[in-house]
Amino acid sequence: MGKALEGVRVLDMTHVQSGPSSTQLLAWLGADVIKLETPGRGDITRGQLRDLPGVDSLYFTMLNSNKRSITLNMKSAEGKEVFEKLVSGVDILVENFGPGVVDRFGYPWDKLSALNPRLIYASIKGFGPGRYADFKAYEVIAQAMGGAMSTTGFEDGPPTATGAQIGDSGTGIHLVAAILAALYQRTSTGRGQRVQVAMQDAVLNLCRVKLRDQQRLAHGPLGEYPNDQFGDEVPRSGNASGGGQPGWAVKCAPGGPNDFIYVIVQPPGWAPLARLIGKEELAEDPAWATPEVRLSKLDKMFALVEEWTEKHTKWEVMEKLNAHNIPCGPILSTKELIEDETLQELGSVVEVAHPERGSFKTVGCPLKLSDSPVEIERSPLLGEHNDEVLAELGYSEAELDKFRAAGVI
C-alpha cells in the first residue's frame, strides 16, 4: 500500500530537537524529507552527546529517521541557486532557526511565496510576537514559561522539569498538526501559507488543566489536590492526578527507585480495592464509602493502599488490580521500557541498523494508520544524498564536481 503522505516533498531546514521531531513524523508518514545541512558539520546534534567517537550521536539518529541529507553552503551564489530550485519544487519548508535567521539569508516569506505560491512555510519559534519574541528558548525554558514547571513537583520542593520533552518534541507534534491542516486547505485554495508554532504556546496548551484549576481557585481550595494550604495560584501537587478521580504513586516491593505503581480510585473501584488490601470493613463504612468523604483523607487512603502494595512487586500489584478493573500503571524505568517485549512487538520500540554505529534502539512511530504502515529507516549520513537530490534538480555530474570543489555542497 502507499503511504499517507506519498508524493509530498519537504525541505527540512531544522536542527536539534523541536524541528527534527516534526519532520521525522512527516517522513514516517511517507513524505520525502530532504534535510538541508551545513557542509562539513551538519546538524549540531550529529556531534552532541556522542557515545562513540566520530559517529553520529544517538541524539541525531533518533530524530532523523527516514530522511535524505544534502549539504549546501547558503552563503554562496551557487548555493542560493540550488536552494531556490529546491524551494520551487517542494510542498513544505520547515525551519526552527532563531527569529529572523531565514530572512537574513535573503529569503523572507514574501520571496519564498513568490518562488512557490503553493509553499507551506512552517516554523517553530520559542515565543510568539511581542515581549518575548527575540528571546532564546530551550526545552526547559519552554516548560518554565509555559506553566509546566510551576505546577510540577512537591509542595515543599522547587519547580521541577518533566523528563518528557514537551517543549521540543511536544511543539514538533503541534507543528505537524498545523502543517497537515495547511496541506489540506491547499487542496481547495491552491495556495500555501505561513504556519508557526511557539514553544511557549505548545507547553501552555498541554498545561490547560492547570489554567482550569487557576480559575477554580476563585471559588475555594481544590479538593482533589493533597495540599494543606492554597494561595492565589495553582500549587505543585506531587503525584496527585489533578483530575476527577484521585490517584497516587505507591511503593512496591522490593523497594527500588522505580518500584512504584500509580493507582486511581474510581467510585466503583473502592469496594473491591478495600477487600483486596484486607480492609473489607471500609467498603461500606460511611466514613469511607463515598468519594466525597474520602476526598478529605486521600493521604490516609493511599497510605492504607501502600501498606498492601509494599508486600508485592509492581507487576503482581498490576495483575491483582486489573483483575478487579482498578486503573493502575507500574512506574517503568527507561531500562524496562527499552527492553519491554510487548513494546517491541507493537513497534513502539524498534531496532535499527546503522552503517557506522551498528544497531541501536529508538522509538517507533506512535501514529498507527491501517492503510499506511510505517517502516523505521536509519538516519542519513551527512550529505549522503547530495548527488541523488541534485540530479533530481537537473544538475549534471560535472556541475556536482564543480560544486564540491568550490565548497557549495
Side-chain angles (χ1 to χ4, degrees), residues 64-130:
N64 291 281
S65 302
N66 296 58
K67 302 178 185 181
R68 298 196 285 171
S69 169
I70 64 168
T71 53
L72 192 63
N73 180 359
M74 288 286 291
K75 295 180 180 179
S76 67
E78 298 92 337
K80 291 182 186 298
E81 175 195 295
V82 173
F83 177 71
E84 291 186 9
K85 281 192 176 185
L86 282 165
V87 169
S88 299
V90 299
D91 299 283
I92 303 157
L93 186 155
V94 187
E95 59 91 13
N96 65 325
F97 290 111
V101 170
V102 178
D103 289 14
R104 291 195 292 275
F105 283 148
Y107 293 98
W109 164 235
D110 56 354
K111 184 171 181 178
L112 292 171
S113 183
L115 285 169
N116 182 354
R118 290 174 57 82
L119 181 69
I120 294 162
Y121 178 20
S123 301
I124 289 175
K125 300 301 174 195
F127 308 95

Side-chain angles (χ1 to χ4, degrees), residues 368-382:
K368 311 295 185 186
L369 283 68
S370 62
D371 288 356
S372 186
V374 173
E375 293 86 32
I376 306 298
E377 300 171 1
R378 69 168 174 86
S379 60
L381 303 178
L382 180 61

